[in-house]
Amino acid sequence: MKSYYSSLIFLIFIGCFGQAQESVLAESMQRGSEIYADFCVTCHLEEGEGIIGTFPPLAKSDYLAQNRETSIRGVKYGLQGEITVNGVTYNNIMTPLGLEDDEIADVMNYIMNSWGNFSDKTVTIEEVEAIEK
């Protein structure tokens, strides 16, 4: 009987922890959506579709999924040079946006969990802080 209660308490704890993580991600994504609307929407458009050949799509982006650190670095420091997103080559300049590390984490969480993208790992401030030029 004691084992049953221990297992039940463990499952309740795990359930609460999972809900807390989902809440943290949801709050980060909400803040990130506001940052996206202020800084990113002009080039990448409202639904993250981008402009073919000019501004890469963020929606259903294979690049984001395969290049997490490089994507974060691009938001933090800017991005220049050739990249391939969903089979299309882009060679443009993305200037640094001047965002703080917490803002970068929030907008990355929004982008990486919107428009058909899914990340099983939340972008944290500590992860952004650790990325160097």
Side-chain angles (χ1 to χ4, degrees), residues 21-95:
Q21 282 185 316
E22 288 175 17
S23 176
V24 168
L25 177 60
E27 290 171 11
S28 176
M29 287 178 62
Q30 176 58 44
R31 292 187 303 267
S33 72
E34 295 169 12
I35 295 165
Y36 184 87
D38 287 342
F39 291 90
C40 312
V41 74
T42 303
C43 298
H44 296 286
L45 306 181
E46 194 169 319
E47 297 297 318
E49 64 269 30
I51 299 173
I52 293 254
T54 305
F55 302 114
L58 302 174
K60 298 177 184 169
S61 171
D62 62 350
Y63 187 86
L64 285 173
Q66 297 166 10
N67 298 281
R68 178 184 177 99
E69 185 176 325
T70 303
S71 297
I72 296 169
R73 183 177 291 108
V75 174
K76 188 171 182 172
Y77 298 111
L79 184 65
Q80 183 174 346
E82 211 171 82
I83 63 170
T84 302
V85 181
N86 299 342
V88 177
T89 300
Y90 296 84
N91 191 0
N92 208 339
I93 297 172
M94 179 174 142
T95 59

Side-chain angles (χ1 to χ4, degrees), residues 7 19 32-33 37 41 51 56 62 70 103 107 120 126 131 133:
S7 296
Q19 288 177 344
S33 72
V41 74
I51 299 173
D62 62 350
T70 303
E103 294 172 314
V107 78
D120 58 357
E126 293 78 17
I131 293 177
K133 222 174 193 179

